[in-house]
Amino acid sequence: MKKTTSPETQTAVRHLESVDAPSGTLTDAEAAAANAIARRAALRDRHAQRLTTLMEQRRDLRGVHQLADFVDDAIRWTA
């Protein structure tokens, strides 16, 4: 059983399921797809972290962008 992401990219909010390779090895296309999924997960986590840091540093930005407020609130509720 191969994990699609490393423990560092998995969050308490969203975990990617393990993928079973039928023959025990991944093809080039499957490996590329797994790498793309891992990159997207890492980018999403990094973006959320930086948005939360910005919202903590700049309280005056609250209410400027509805999606930023939503993400900031969602992260705070899961912490």
Side-chain angles (χ1 to χ4, degrees), residues 5-74:
T5 62
S6 66
E8 295 83 28
T9 59
Q10 293 181 344
T11 64
V13 178
R14 183 172 182 223
H15 291 280
L16 297 176
E17 297 296 322
S18 297
V19 176
D20 291 326
S23 64
T25 60
L26 295 176
T27 64
D28 289 340
E30 291 170 334
N35 286 338
I37 290 169
R39 281 192 311 273
R40 272 188 248 132
L43 179 62
R44 181 182 55 246
D45 294 343
R46 193 168 51 245
H47 178 73
Q49 178 189 22
R50 290 180 181 165
L51 177 62
T52 302
T53 302
L54 176 65
M55 296 297 277
E56 286 176 359
Q57 293 172 348
R58 299 275 315 272
R59 301 271 181 200
D60 60 315
L61 293 177
R62 191 64 132 145
V64 173
H65 195 276
Q66 188 176 8
L67 181 58
D69 292 344
F70 175 77
V71 171
D72 186 46
D73 289 339

